[in-house]
Amino acid sequence: MSSPSTSTPPSTLIDPTAPYTLHPLLSSIPLSAPDSDAKIHITTVEHWHGNLYIGTSAGELLHYVSIPGDAPGELTWIIASRLQPPYSTVQEAEDEGVKQVLLLPDAGKACVLCNATLSFYTLPELSPAFGGKIKQAGCTWVGGLDLNEVEGEQQGKGSGTAIVICLRLRLRLIRIGDEARKIRDIELGGVRALARRGNLACVADGSSYSLLDVVNEAKIDLFPISSNSEVRQLPERTRASLELPSGAQHGHSRSVSGSSPIRLGRHERNVSLGAELKSKDSSSPWPARTSSQTKTSPAISPGRVRSPAKVETIAGASPEPAVEVPAARPLLPHIASPTGTEFLLTTGTKANDPGVGMFVNLDGDVVRGTIEFTTYPRSLVFDGGDVEAADATGFDGSHEGYALALVQRRFDGTSVSAVEIQRWDVGPSEAHQSRAWIRIEDAETSAGVSGVGLRKVKSSVELTMSSTSHVLRSRRLHLHPRDAQVSDAETKRNDEEDVFASRFAHVQAAIILFSASQVQWVVRNTIASRLDARLEQATNASSERISIDVKAVRMVLNDIRGEDARSELEFVTFTYIRQKASLLLFGSLLLTTASDTIACETDKRAASEALVEGEIDPRMLLSLMVSLSVEVQEGTEGIWTPQGLRDTVYLLRQATEPESQSQDTRGPYGDNLLQVLKRYLLHWRAKKGFGSVADEVAVFQTVDAALLHILLLLDQHSPRGPATLNSIRAELNDVVDNGVDCFPRAVELFRSFRRLHLLSRLYQSRKLTPQVLETWQQILEGAHDAGGEMIEGEQDMRRYLSKIRDRDLVTKYGTWLAQRNPKLGVQVFADEHGRVKFSHQDTVALLREKAPSAVKEYLEHLVFARHKAEYGSELLYYYLTAVLAALEASPDLKETLHDGYETYRALDPPKPTYTQFFADNSSVEHSDFMSNRTRLLQLLSSADPADADLSSLRAKLDPHADLLVPETIVLHALTGDHDTALQLLTHTLGDYDTAISYCLHTSPAYLFSPRPLNSASLTPPPHSTQSSLFTLLLHHFLALPLPARLDRSSELLERFGGFFELEAVLEEVDGDWSVRLLGPFLVGKLRGLVSEGREVGLERQLWGARELRVSYEAGEKITEVGAVVVRDVGQTGDEGAVDVEAHG
């Protein structure tokens, strides 16, 4: 007969978040003959390398073997044999049928305890071992494998496996190998359970627990199994074997802490058992031990009293006398050893009352906290938790220790059997919080009758948890799943992902649950399945809407926060759970936004932190928002993500109805979603260049495009103008300036949002100079820029042009700027620090061609800033043309000039110069004319008569001589017509101070220009020239009408009398002038004559004194040198020879 392993689903209700789940193994097992009505149940189960052994209450042992099934990974179980182990008497209650199947793989044997009779078989086919000769009647329990050797995988290597047989009156240690040999008997009867580590065993009889040294045969009593029971009185024979003389008892007493209140008194704990066996019993079928095995243990004190140990007979021997034990055993003892130094023992009051598990160490002291059970357990199994065991098995998750107990628990008012699961390696409070149950829904076992049990089998199997691989396998996320077509490449990738994820679905199972006629694996649920189930429970999806329990999601995140992954599965799981939790928290914000509600700050902060912690692909979040999903770049292969995340995205899409979402950035849409996404996308931008991002090109293109889109949406309602500190606009500028990967999309976004200035910044980040200048030109020419950030656009363009090296671009946009703003535009060509240099001649020619209105500005720069006088004449004509054009175009200007002259002439002295008067009384509407005229006078006053075309200037000025009087005066001065210039100054203009200044400097530069342009005009003229000019000026002053004639003439003579001759003045003035008017001049002249005479006399005296001194010094010198006589020497014939004789 065959039965597939997955033929029938388990009859249980399992919480998917529980640490364990059930996996079907066998169901509908034929426990009895088809025509039999007997109620038979399973009593025990064991598994070893594809062999399944099932014991029944009918005393049968079913042997199943597994073969590969039709589907990959599926096993089919077929029954290999149906064995009926021998027994003499049918037992009742717990001893009924096949009670135990103990497998000894190293010895190749199996021990089967059926109806109190122990038989031995070979593995795996269950043929009778040892020729079927060795059987043991009166056996209550078998086991006692050294757990240290089992965990260290050293059991029975080379010498067989030592086990313990619990008989009614004693314990028997035997070694099973190629043959069965008895090691020793220990006179301790009634033992129902035993666990051994080395030489120390923890045993339980019908009423209490104790520690037993199997070598030294010393016993330490612990505490009763039931707090309501009394210690059972053993038969006289057994009690006698445990009694020791006081000396021996004292010599082997063990120092045990008295801090454990549940232990018996010290005088009751130290008990010594018989330490040495008798010689071989001739009636026993067990072979005797070797000589080395029969030696007395050195640990036994020589003074110990040795009690004879009897050897049990098996074949042909009479059964041992039964111990009078109460028929009803309300509580079964359970002994486990989860660690190498501890035993766990259960105690309670009644079967349906709560039970307690207590840990004792190898000294018998209570350690750790207790474990509480809903009811006293009928079966108890420990799984994982021991560090050494975890290292030995290498199974993922074995570092967490769980206790699985079969208890009764009420569900919906009904008491049913359940597997209670809790941690044993943590504190009591944490263990209580972690408790979970697997409810067994079988009609025959719900009331807690026999036939339900837990068993940790000999060898584990590897099972596949499809739920784990289902959520962790990658699948493509389609932005439009309804229209998506699965390609062959996607199908191939799906198959590859299934294979990859299947590695995480393999779990080890070593615990079996049997109930009624079915057997199931109790499998540790993967951490991925458990945590994902908790997140699924936090998501309440219905046909109408979906709700997310934010608190539950955050609790899942808190549970794994700070946890370090100890395996690849945990690493993948933690990553997946963090990402799904962050997706759910963001989905909660979506749902809140859909209800037009602003989320609380706690939820938004939790979502932001979870997104950063989980680092979920931002494209998944953006796909949930209609306005931003257009920014998602799928790449060449699409977006691949764990299926659990993909399914969640699809669920949120359906629940949020994105088409109906309000997209007002000043409401919940901006506050709940855009702000959270903005922070997350900024976090992702910081990951650029790390190399750990899959499909990084598409991801970062999406990140940059979405971030720009979000910032543009948030910045829509910001005030126009430049960015302020820490504003959205400042963040937007920073993103653009640092460069984006989505350049074409960014251009589209900026144009669609009409953010031309941002577009120019984008071009600058890519060093696209032509596009930058073109965009600025559009803004300056009036194109709408929604941000209004370009305040000084022309200045920005001028500065930018000075920094680039492209001569053509500087020429093109420099001339455009000069035509638009001549004063600013010429600075591009005049900038000494610019990257592109232009000669003056080229610039002038270029401006004449491209920007004629800027030529004058550039010439002004050359003449006034660079002092290039050679361009003065050309500039002068520009000013003259502008001035004349203004006069011809504006009659009001002519009238203003006429009125100004009349007003100035009417002013009484002292009055300002005409230049100052003209500047103080100029109108704003004629500011350009005033400026041009001032520059014209300055250039005209500084012109070189040799270079200037004076005749041409005169021809242009003469028609407007009455309006341009100062210009006419300067022109006469340039031609040397001083008389006419002074006449116009005094009679036509009435500027007497300027006339005096002209006489002093004899230069037109000082007529109407405050700053002469050439240094030659600064040279003072000769005194004679000044004197002649003052004479002419006096002549014109004397021609003035009264009383100005007298006032100006007398003042001139008084101030500058030194430039006049007395006789000439007296000839000029009329005879009717009073002496008062000429007094100051005459006094000055007379004083000058007297001073001059005195100066001449003094000079003569000084020269006489100097001559006298020279004569004196010459006499003194002659006296010092002496006289010299010079005679003519004629005898020598030498012409011209003289004879000089000196006399002292």
Side-chain angles (χ1 to χ4, degrees):
M1 114 182 232
S2 65
S3 178
S5 62
T6 57
S7 61
T8 304
S11 57
T12 55
L13 295 178
I14 305 174
D15 181 3
T17 65
Y20 287 81
T21 187
L22 297 182
H23 189 85
L25 178 57
L26 272 178
S27 61
S28 301
I29 301 173
L31 301 179
S32 60
D35 55 350
S36 175
D37 296 332
K39 292 185 178 181
I40 301 174
H41 59 267
I42 300 174
T43 55
T44 186
V45 177
E46 186 58 271
H47 173 269
W48 180 67
H49 296 317
N51 295 272
L52 185 65
Y53 306 100
I54 301 175
T56 70
S57 59
E60 289 186 326
L61 183 62
L62 308 181
H63 176 203
Y64 283 85
V65 295
S66 63
I67 60 175
D70 297 333
E74 182 184 273
L75 294 178
T76 299
W77 295 88
I78 61 174
I79 188 167
S81 64
R82 195 181 190 101
L83 179 68
Q84 293 182 343
Y87 59 89
S88 58
T89 305
V90 176
Q91 304 294 309
E92 296 180 353
E94 299 296 335
D95 294 333
E96 180 185 10
V98 178
K99 181 179 181 180
Q100 286 181 274
V101 177
L102 177 64
L103 303 183
L104 307 176
D106 293 321
K109 304 295 189 296
C111 305
V112 179
L113 178 60
C114 178
N115 286 316
T117 301
L118 180 65
S119 305
F120 297 89
Y121 299 89
T122 60
L123 290 178
E125 71 281 359
L126 297 183
S127 299
F130 310 121
K133 299 178 180 180
I134 301 181
K135 299 180 179 61
Q136 178 69 66
C139 181
T140 59
W141 193 85
V142 62
L145 297 175
D146 187 353
L147 297 179
N148 292 338
E149 293 183 357
V150 172
E151 293 171 357
E153 299 181 354
Q154 299 175 353
Q155 178 183 351
K157 288 188 176 180
S159 59
T161 303
I163 63 174
V164 178
I165 300 175
C166 299
L167 305 176
R168 289 186 172 91
L169 297 179
R170 62 180 58 83
L171 300 179
R172 176 163 292 163
L173 274 73
I174 63 175
R175 188 175 299 279
I176 304 298
D178 294 335
E179 58 181 359
R181 293 184 179 275
K182 182 176 68 176
I183 301 175
R184 66 169 60 85
D185 285 347
I186 300 176
E187 299 299 327
L188 182 63
V191 174
R192 308 291 295 180
L194 182 148
R196 180 168 68 94
R197 286 194 176 274
N199 296 333
L200 187 64
C202 183
V203 299
D205 55 19
S207 59
S208 63
Y209 297 101
S210 59
L211 291 178
L212 174 67
D213 188 336
V214 297
V215 176
N216 297 322
E217 302 182 11
K219 177 185 172 189
I220 302 177
D221 292 331
L222 297 177
F223 48 83
I225 300 171
S226 173
S227 58
N228 293 334
S229 64
E230 296 180 358
V231 178
R232 182 183 59 173
Q233 296 295 324
L234 296 177
E236 186 70 21
R237 175 183 174 187
T238 304
R239 291 201 307 271
S241 66
L242 299 178
E243 293 176 357
L244 295 177
S246 59
Q249 187 174 3
H250 176 75
H252 290 275
S253 63
R254 301 180 65 180
S255 176
V256 182
S257 170
S259 61
S260 302
I262 62 171
R263 292 182 300 182
L264 302 178
R266 185 177 300 272
H267 63 284
E268 297 178 348
R269 296 186 58 202
N270 298 331
V271 180
S272 177
L273 304 178
E276 186 174 322
L277 297 173
K278 282 186 174 181
S279 61
K280 179 180 178 182
D281 190 345
S282 60
S283 63
S284 173
W286 298 101
R289 294 182 297 170
T290 61
S291 59
S292 61
Q293 293 174 321
T294 58
K295 292 181 180 178
T296 303
S297 173
I300 299 176
S301 172
R304 174 178 294 182
V305 176
R306 292 178 173 86
S307 59
K310 297 185 67 178
V311 180
E312 289 291 336
T313 61
I314 297 181
S318 60
E320 293 196 9
V323 180
E324 295 183 4
V325 181
R329 293 179 181 269
L331 300 182
L332 295 176
H334 297 292
I335 304 175
S337 181
T339 69
T341 59
E342 295 172 327
F343 294 103
L344 179 128
L345 317 174
T346 58
T347 183
T349 55
K350 297 179 180 179
N352 292 329
D353 289 342
V356 177
M358 308 181 71
F359 291 90
V360 297
N361 60 17
L362 300 183
D363 292 329
D365 296 323
V366 176
V367 293
R368 296 181 183 267
T370 59
I371 299 179
E372 298 181 2
F373 303 100
T374 304
T375 62
Y376 189 84
R378 286 175 290 168
S379 298
L380 180 63
V381 170
F382 279 73
D383 184 37
D386 189 3
V387 177
E388 295 178 359
D391 294 339
T393 60
F395 298 154
D396 292 338
S398 58
H399 52 274
E400 295 179 346
Y402 285 94
L404 289 80
L406 185 62
V407 299
Q408 290 294 118
R409 190 170 188 267
R410 299 190 71 82
F411 290 94
D412 300 328
T414 303
S415 177
V416 297
S417 297
V419 178
E420 184 176 57
I421 306 166
Q422 60 182 311
R423 294 283 298 273
W424 64 264
D425 54 351
V426 295
S429 60
E430 186 176 350
H432 184 77
Q433 294 176 358
S434 66
R435 277 206 282 187
W437 290 268
I438 299 177
R439 179 179 176 180
I440 304 174
E441 289 290 327
D442 193 293
E444 298 181 4
T445 60
S446 60
V449 298
S450 300
V452 183
L454 283 173
R455 171 76 177 168
K456 192 163 187 178
V457 296
K458 192 67 176 179
S459 64
S460 62
V461 296
E462 188 177 81
L463 302 177
T464 300
M465 300 290 290
S466 59
S467 60
T468 301
S469 60
H470 180 79
V471 297
L472 294 181
R473 65 184 181 182
S474 292
R475 286 294 183 267
R476 183 173 182 178
L477 174 67
H478 295 281
L479 299 181
H480 305 286
R482 296 179 181 177
D483 304 330
Q485 298 293 331
V486 179
S487 63
D488 295 339
E490 183 176 344
T491 302
K492 181 180 178 181
R493 173 78 180 269
N494 287 339
D495 296 339
E496 294 173 353
E497 293 293 342
D498 289 343
V499 173
F500 178 79
S502 64
R503 300 184 303 118
F504 306 126
H506 299 316
V507 294
Q508 297 290 330
I511 301 174
I512 286 181
L513 170 68
F514 56 87
S515 61
S517 61
Q518 66 177 355
V519 178
Q520 303 173 82
W521 289 109
V522 182
V523 185
R524 181 173 291 204
N525 218 347
T526 62
I527 189 171
S529 298
R530 289 159 50 194
L531 294 176
D532 185 69
R534 291 176 61 185
L535 293 179
E536 289 295 324
Q537 290 182 353
T539 307
N540 182 16
S542 63
S543 58
E544 297 181 356
R545 58 170 301 174
I546 180 176
S547 62
I548 298 175
D549 188 348
V550 174
K551 184 177 180 180
V553 175
R554 293 173 61 185
M555 188 173 297
V556 173
L557 280 176
N558 291 334
D559 288 345
I560 64 173
R561 181 168 287 120
E563 291 287 337
D564 294 328
R566 286 168 287 226
S567 65
E568 184 182 7
L569 173 60
E570 286 193 357
F571 176 79
V572 174
T573 297
F574 290 161
T575 301
Y576 164 74
I577 293 300
R578 291 188 180 104
Q579 291 182 351
K580 184 170 182 177
S582 64
L583 181 60
L584 289 175
L585 292 177
F586 184 76
S588 175
L589 296 181
L590 280 172
L591 298 174
T592 304
T593 303
S595 63
D596 201 23
T597 304
I598 295 181
C600 63
E601 290 299 325
T602 304
D603 291 345
K604 289 185 287 187
R605 184 170 57 253
S608 296
E609 293 174 354
L611 288 172
V612 172
E613 187 177 357
E615 295 189 343
I616 188 174
D617 190 334
R619 297 177 293 179
M620 301 177 64
L621 306 179
L622 297 172
S623 68
L624 298 173
M625 304 176 66
V626 173
S627 61
L628 299 177
S629 61
V630 296
E631 312 300 346
V632 176
Q633 297 292 325
E634 296 188 73
T636 56
E637 298 183 357
I639 304 172
W640 288 81
T641 186
Q643 183 169 347
L645 297 181
R646 188 194 68 168
D647 296 344
T648 305
V649 170
Y650 290 165
L651 179 65
L652 291 174
R653 282 185 189 172
Q654 298 173 359
T656 52
E657 298 180 358
E659 292 80 2
S660 61
Q661 289 180 0
S662 172
Q663 297 185 8
D664 184 5
T665 58
R666 292 171 292 186
Y669 181 74
D671 195 70
N672 295 349
L673 301 178
L674 296 187
Q675 291 288 354
V676 172
L677 277 175
K678 181 200 73 172
R679 290 190 289 270
Y680 185 56
L681 294 176
L682 286 172
H683 166 75
W684 262 83
R685 268 179 61 88
K687 296 165 67 68
K688 284 187 179 182
F690 283 2
S692 59
V693 179
D695 199 10
E696 60 178 346
V697 175
V699 169
F700 288 120
Q701 285 180 355
T702 301
V703 167
D704 288 345
L707 182 58
L708 289 177
H709 199 157
I710 290 172
L711 291 173
L712 287 171
L713 289 172
L714 293 173
D715 192 51
Q716 287 181 118
H717 305 289
S718 300
R720 290 174 58 84
T724 57
L725 186 64
N726 297 327
S727 64
I728 294 294
R729 188 160 296 176
E731 291 181 328
L732 186 55
N733 291 341
D734 184 64
V735 170
V736 174
D737 294 343
N738 288 328
V740 294
D741 293 347
C742 58
F743 179 76
R745 178 56 182 165
V747 173
E748 294 178 9
L749 283 171
F750 291 148
R751 290 197 180 278
S752 63
F753 280 85
R754 297 184 178 181
R755 300 300 295 271
L756 296 182
H757 187 264
L758 279 174
L759 180 60
S760 70
R761 296 184 78 117
L762 176 66
Y763 288 142
Q764 288 185 69
S765 68
R766 292 293 184 97
K767 300 187 184 303
L768 299 176
T769 304
Q771 288 83 348
V772 174
L773 294 170
E774 181 183 1
T775 306
W776 283 354
Q777 183 181 18
Q778 293 174 7
I779 297 175
L780 293 174
E781 288 179 347
H784 179 62
D785 180 28
E789 299 160 88
M790 202 167 195
I791 304 301
E792 298 180 348
E794 294 176 348
Q795 285 285 1
D796 293 340
M797 179 174 281
R798 183 197 67 78
R799 286 191 289 265
Y800 190 71
L801 288 172
S802 66
K803 296 177 182 178
I804 64 177
R805 299 180 182 274
D806 193 321
R807 189 179 188 87
D808 294 337
L809 288 177
V810 175
T811 301
K812 177 181 177 180
Y813 289 98
T815 54
W816 175 85
L817 183 61
Q819 182 66 23
R820 176 183 177 84
N821 186 340
K823 187 179 294 295
L824 190 63
V826 298
Q827 295 180 20
V828 175
F829 303 96
D831 190 357
E832 296 180 353
H833 303 289
R835 301 289 182 87
V836 179
K837 306 295 184 181
F838 293 89
S839 65
H840 303 317
Q841 295 83 354
D842 294 342
T843 302
V844 172
L846 184 63
L847 292 177
R848 280 201 185 101
E849 179 185 357
K850 302 290 186 180
S853 60
V855 175
K856 178 175 71 70
E857 296 291 340
Y858 185 70
L859 292 176
E860 285 180 348
H861 167 74
L862 294 178
V863 174
F864 298 112
R866 298 289 186 87
H867 304 292
K868 302 293 184 180
E870 59 270 24
Y871 296 96
S873 298
E874 185 175 359
L875 181 59
L876 187 147
Y877 280 100
Y878 269 100
Y879 287 135
L880 180 58
T881 302
V883 169
L884 295 178
L887 290 175
E888 293 176 357
S890 176
D892 293 340
L893 181 58
K894 295 179 180 180
E895 185 177 354
T896 300
L897 289 176
H898 280 296
D899 293 343
Y901 292 142
E902 293 177 2
T903 302
Y904 183 74
R905 283 194 299 267
L907 292 177
D908 294 329
K911 59 182 179 180
T913 64
Y914 180 77
T915 302
Q916 184 176 355
F917 174 81
F918 177 75
D920 293 342
N921 294 275
S922 59
S923 62
V924 177
E925 58 179 336
H926 299 140
S927 59
D928 291 340
F929 172 80
M930 303 301 179
S931 175
N932 290 333
R933 189 181 185 191
T934 301
R935 291 288 191 177
L936 174 61
L937 285 171
Q938 187 177 6
L939 289 175
L940 193 60
S941 299
S942 304
D944 188 354
D947 297 332
D949 188 358
L950 300 181
S951 60
S952 177
L953 291 175
R954 184 182 296 275
K956 291 184 178 183
L957 283 175
D958 284 346
H960 306 281
D962 58 334
L963 296 175
L964 302 176
V965 176
E967 290 80 356
T968 304
I969 294 171
V970 173
L971 190 58
H972 283 290
L974 288 174
T975 58
D977 189 0
H978 304 301
D979 185 41
T980 305
L982 291 174
Q983 178 186 0
L984 293 174
L985 281 171
T986 55
H987 297 283
T988 303
L989 193 59
D991 189 353
Y992 309 125
D993 290 341
T994 301
I996 293 173
S997 177
Y998 178 66
C999 293
L1000 288 172
H1001 299 94
T1002 322
S1003 172
Y1006 287 92
L1007 284 172
F1008 303 102
S1009 177
R1011 296 185 302 275
L1013 297 179
N1014 50 40
S1015 58
S1017 59
L1018 301 178
T1019 305
H1023 185 272
S1024 59
T1025 303
Q1026 294 175 325
S1027 179
S1028 62
L1029 290 178
F1030 273 109
T1031 302
L1032 290 174
L1033 180 59
L1034 177 62
H1035 177 74
H1036 289 295
F1037 277 178
L1038 292 175
L1040 291 173
L1042 295 174
R1045 178 198 311 164
L1046 298 177
D1047 295 337
R1048 301 281 72 75
S1049 300
S1050 61
E1051 182 183 0
L1052 180 63
L1053 292 173
E1054 181 180 357
R1055 293 175 58 192
F1056 303 100
F1059 292 99
F1060 297 95
E1061 296 294 334
L1062 181 59
E1063 295 84 356
V1065 172
L1066 294 178
E1067 291 177 358
E1068 287 285 342
V1069 300
D1070 296 336
D1072 56 353
W1073 276 39
S1074 65
V1075 177
R1076 182 181 62 81
L1077 295 174
L1078 294 175
F1081 169 71
L1082 295 175
V1083 171
K1085 296 301 290 184
L1086 292 175
R1087 286 178 177 174
L1089 292 175
V1090 173
S1091 297
E1092 184 178 353
R1094 291 177 179 174
E1095 290 175 0
V1096 171
L1098 180 59
E1099 184 178 0
R1100 287 177 180 175
Q1101 291 178 3
L1102 290 175
W1103 279 109
R1106 183 178 181 184
E1107 183 179 357
L1108 180 61
R1109 180 176 181 81
V1110 170
S1111 299
Y1112 172 77
E1113 291 177 353
E1116 288 293 326
K1117 191 67 173 177
I1118 292 172
T1119 305
E1120 180 181 353
V1121 174
V1124 178
V1125 180
V1126 179
R1127 294 191 299 271
D1128 186 11
V1129 183
Q1131 293 83 359
T1132 61
D1134 296 332
E1135 183 178 358
V1138 294
D1139 182 15
V1140 180
E1141 180 182 355
H1143 298 277

